[in-house]
Amino acid sequence: MRGAKNALSAGFDGVEIHAANGYLLDQFINSSTNQRADRYGGAIENRARLLIEVVEAVSEVWDTDRVGVRLSPLGTFNDISDDDPETTFGYVAKKLSDYRLAYLHLVNPAVAAIEQGTEPDPRATRMLDLLREKYRGTLILAGGFDQDTAEAWLEQGRADLIAFGRKFIANPDLPERFRSRAPQC
Ligand SMILES: Cc1cc2nc3c(=O)[nH]c(=O)nc-3n(C[C@H](O)[C@H](O)[C@H](O)COP(=O)(O)O)c2cc1C
C-alpha cells in the first residue's frame, strides 16, 4: 500500500503487483511453498487470498486500469512448484479478471523453447491456452522473445502484448529498431 502510494506521488503511470518468480505472493499461491493451515493456505481460494487482498489494497490507491499483476505459471525459481498448476493458475487468472486490471503479465512458461527455437513443452502450451481462456483482459507475455517470435505469437493470438527485458537493456531504442528491422545488440 505504501509502495503504491509512493509510486502515485512520484508520478508513475501505474503499478505492477509482482506475484511471480518465487517472491512472497508466488510462495503463497504455489502448493509446494504454502504450508499454512489457516485461511491463507490449503485450497486455492485460500492460497490466492493474499494476492487478492493486495490487489484490493492497491486498487484503493490506483484505479484498477492502472494496476497490473505478474504471475509465473509453472515457474521453478528456488524449486517452487504446484501440485495442480492448471487448477491453481486457472483460478487466479479467472479471479483476477473480475478486477478489470490494466493487464495480466505472465512469465512465459515456454521461455526455453522460444530461446532454443524448439517446440514448447505441451504443459506450457496447455497452460498458456488455459490462461488465455480464463483471463478476460489484456495479456502480456515475457521471456525469451525476439522480434520474429514475438510477432508470430501475437499473430497466433497467444497474447495481446509481448514484453522485452534483455533486448531493451542492450537496445534502448528497441521499438525504433523493430520498426526499421535494424540489427540489435
Ligand atoms: C539479469 C536479469 C535479472 C533478472 N532479475 C529478475 C528478478 O530479480 N526478478 C524477476 O522477477 N525477474 C527478473 N528477471 C526477469 C525479467 O523481469 C524479465 O521477465 C525477463 O528479462 C524478460 O525476458 P527477456 O529478457 O528474455 O526479454 C531478470 C532478468 C535478467 C536478464
Side-chain angles (χ1 to χ4, degrees):
M1 191 94 163
R2 189 191 300 167
K5 283 181 185 162
N6 287 346
L8 188 64
S9 56
F12 281 64
D13 295 316
V15 288
E16 180 172 278
I17 297 168
H18 198 339
N21 290 350
Y23 294 111
L24 185 67
L25 295 175
D26 200 26
Q27 291 171 24
F28 272 74
I29 293 168
N30 281 270
S31 60
S32 73
T33 38
N34 188 332
Q35 308 286 315
R36 300 178 73 105
D38 59 9
R39 54 200 292 274
Y40 292 88
I44 179 55
E45 291 79 359
N46 289 348
R47 285 182 278 126
R49 191 182 306 280
L50 183 61
L51 169 61
I52 297 305
E53 286 180 355
V54 171
V55 169
E56 289 181 356
V58 170
S59 302
E60 287 173 26
V61 180
W62 288 85
D63 291 338
T64 51
D65 64 357
R66 295 286 170 164
V67 178
V69 170
R70 188 174 210 215
L71 299 173
S72 49
L74 300 176
T76 55
F77 276 101
N78 295 319
D79 294 334
I80 203 165
S81 65
D82 192 87
D83 288 343
D84 185 359
E86 291 188 13
T87 302
T88 293
F89 287 93
Y91 174 86
V92 174
K94 185 162 187 297
K95 183 86 182 160
L96 289 174
S97 294
D98 297 342
Y99 290 88
R100 300 182 170 276
L101 301 171
Y103 59 79
L104 175 63
H105 178 178
L106 302 180
V107 177
N108 182 10
V111 60
I114 286 286
E115 284 182 333
Q116 291 155 17
T118 55
E119 274 302 301
D121 176 341
R123 285 177 75 220
T125 311
R126 261 203 325 273
M127 177 64 78
L128 286 167
D129 290 346
L130 174 79
L131 299 187
R132 187 67 163 147
E133 180 203 320
K134 296 279 182 191
Y135 187 72
R136 299 181 310 272
T138 302
L139 190 70
I140 304 179
L141 283 181
F145 288 96
D146 60 20
Q147 182 169 8
D148 290 338
T149 51
E151 286 175 353
W153 280 51
L154 289 172
E155 274 162 25
Q156 290 161 20
R158 288 177 150 173
D160 300 301
L161 296 161
I162 302 290
F164 295 89
R166 286 165 290 180
K167 280 199 173 293
F168 234 123
I169 293 170
N171 303 273
D173 57 347
L174 190 63
E176 189 44 50
R177 287 188 194 225
F178 280 171
R179 236 175 256 125
S180 57
R181 296 227 161 242
Q184 297 134 33
C185 308

